[in-house]
Amino acid sequence: MPMPNSDHIKVKVWRGDAGGGSFAEFEVPQQPAQTVLDVVTWIQRHADSTLSYRFACRVGMCGSCAMMVNGIPRWTCRTHVNKVVQDNRLTVEPLRNLPVIKDLACDMSEFFDKWKRAEGQFSGTNTRAQAVAAISPAEPARRAANAAIECINCAICYAACDVVSWNPGYLGPAALNRAWSLQNDSRDRRHGERLRAISADGGCLSCHSQQGCASYCPNELNPTASIAGLKKMAASAFFRSR
Amino acid sequence: MIELRLYLAQRISAAIMAPLVLVHLGVMIYAIQGGVSADEILARTRGSLLWGGFYGLFVIAVAVHAAIGLRNILSEWLHLRGLLLSGLCWFIGFALLAAGLRAVAAVVGS
């Protein structure tokens, strides 16, 4: 979308906490190559210093600055204003599907608790006294793990997922994507426990393959494909155990 | 484990239904080419173990598939859980099974 002919953007920012809130409006000067995070930072530094938001690296690595921008979950540090501005307006809200702490900062506890519930921790088979495991990059399992491994846990997929909004117990795309990468890691020793965890109520079988996660993942990962792999893995394990 | 069993039952019932629907549509299109009345159709299906088995299997697959699918919808949209959810789904499954088998009996029974 071309940049509108105006030197200011009208920005609606959600202000509030877990008890509720409303939108505040700001006029922010436009800059070349300006990102949505630049806009939020300008508001905090020049218009309202009480605005709370979260960021760290500003280069798309830490996954902490995700917000809803014009209704779509995005990493704000890598989202240029001129790509998302509509009629010279921006609406910035906290991520969907997560409780708000204050303003644009969400409580990520449940997101990471679900990561743990999905057995997202690596548990190695070897001790540090043993040699490093030799794994060919061409191995099919390693390739499957590689395809899922670049997740930065920004929770954009979690905010995009309708199943999370309907079923708060659903583990969500990021946790299941992590589980898939570990299920394909031959050095991990908890494949059985993890498969049980992700086959239970609220696990991979709850996914409707709507692909909101894959559509909005800023790293272009495909958690839907990872979850489909987990479903297949769970079904195969069931029939093998008969 | 119940989630996995329900998931598999729904997928397997779908895999059963898909070819049965295709055969049903194919036979229907083929059979009416020369014009055929309801009485003529019933004359061919009554007493037929083949058609009884064919549609009986379809009805069982529908009852399983629809009850599990509605269970997911009731759980996600109305947030039903536990006995109420299971009870409703068993009821829906048996109601579909009873209605479907009654229709099969009317088509193949004499």
Side-chain angles (χ1 to χ4, degrees):
Chain A
M1 182 178 288
M3 187 74 89
N5 293 323
S6 169
D7 57 355
H8 281 72
I9 320 159
K10 288 184 169 51
V11 187
K12 278 170 68 180
V13 178
W14 195 89
R15 305 296 309 274
D17 55 26
S22 59
F23 285 98
E25 291 208 32
F26 301 93
E27 293 230 337
V28 179
Q30 285 202 9
Q31 305 286 342
Q34 187 178 26
T35 65
V36 175
L37 183 63
D38 292 335
V39 167
V40 174
T41 300
W42 189 93
I43 292 170
Q44 206 241 22
R45 292 194 182 164
H46 300 282
D48 187 347
S49 61
T50 66
L51 176 66
S52 298
Y53 65 108
R54 190 185 281 129
F55 76 97
C57 75
R58 300 182 297 169
V59 289
M61 292 182 74
C62 74
S64 58
C65 70
M67 300 170 201
M68 304 299 290
V69 181
N70 287 347
I72 289 174
R74 295 185 182 279
W75 51 359
T76 56
C77 70
R78 299 287 300 271
T79 302
H80 280 113
V81 168
N82 63 359
K83 294 233 172 96
V84 293
V85 72
Q86 288 171 345
D87 300 327
N88 207 33
R89 288 176 184 276
L90 274 184
T91 302
V92 187
E93 298 166 83
L95 277 183
R96 178 175 172 247
N97 292 337
L98 285 165
V100 176
I101 298 173
K102 182 172 174 288
D103 303 336
L104 301 171
C106 291
D107 183 351
M108 302 284 283
S109 306
E110 75 176 43
F111 176 78
F112 288 111
D113 285 346
K114 287 177 177 180
W115 212 77
K116 284 192 272 182
R117 249 178 64 204
E119 297 275 352
Q121 309 92 325
F122 172 77
S123 304
T125 44
N126 289 1
T127 66
R128 64 182 59 200
Q130 291 170 284
V132 174
I135 296 171
S136 163
E139 219 173 82
R142 188 62 231 169
R143 288 162 67 136
N146 275 350
I149 211 160
E150 292 295 338
C151 175
I152 57 172
N153 287 299
C154 60
I156 283 178
C157 58
Y158 194 81
C161 180
D162 282 344
V163 181
V164 173
S165 70
W166 296 324
N167 178 5
Y170 176 50
L171 291 171
L176 291 168
N177 183 70
R178 169 66 182 171
W180 172 246
S181 65
L182 288 175
Q183 287 302 90
N184 283 290
D185 190 333
S186 55
R187 302 165 305 156
D188 185 275
R189 63 184 161 83
R190 290 179 64 81
H191 287 183
E193 292 88 336
R194 191 173 300 108
L195 202 57
R196 269 195 295 283
I198 56 91
S199 309
D201 189 18
C204 65
L205 305 172
S206 301
C207 170
H208 293 314
S209 307
Q210 288 171 294
Q211 303 185 61
C213 52
S215 303
Y216 296 116
C217 174
N219 276 341
E220 298 182 351
L221 303 184
N222 189 347
T224 311
S226 300
I227 295 168
L230 288 175
K231 288 175 179 173
K232 200 171 158 190
M233 207 176 249
S236 305
F238 178 83
F239 289 118
R240 272 202 312 270
S241 68
R242 295 292 98 189
Chain B
M1 194 54 93
I2 183 71
E3 296 300 319
L4 183 56
R5 285 171 196 270
L6 289 172
Y7 173 85
L8 291 172
Q10 202 189 21
R11 268 65 190 173
I12 292 166
S13 57
I16 292 170
M17 279 194 294
L20 297 184
V21 168
L22 291 177
V23 171
H24 169 77
L25 291 174
V27 170
M28 202 170 65
I29 291 165
Y30 169 75
I32 60 162
Q33 290 302 308
V36 63
S37 69
D39 285 338
E40 285 169 320
I41 292 172
L42 287 174
R44 291 172 200 176
T45 58
R46 279 193 169 141
S48 165
L49 275 179
L50 177 69
W51 288 119
F54 181 91
Y55 286 111
L57 181 63
F58 181 73
V59 163
I60 293 166
V62 166
V64 169
H65 189 81
I68 298 171
L70 284 168
R71 184 181 186 273
N72 291 336
I73 293 169
L74 290 170
S75 160
E76 286 178 359
W77 289 22
L78 301 181
H79 305 292
L80 300 185
R81 290 279 183 279
L83 273 180
L84 179 62
L85 180 63
S86 302
L88 261 175
C89 293
W90 278 109
F91 173 77
I92 291 164
F94 277 117
L96 283 171
L97 189 67
L101 290 180
R102 188 167 166 262
V104 174
V107 170
V108 299
S110 46

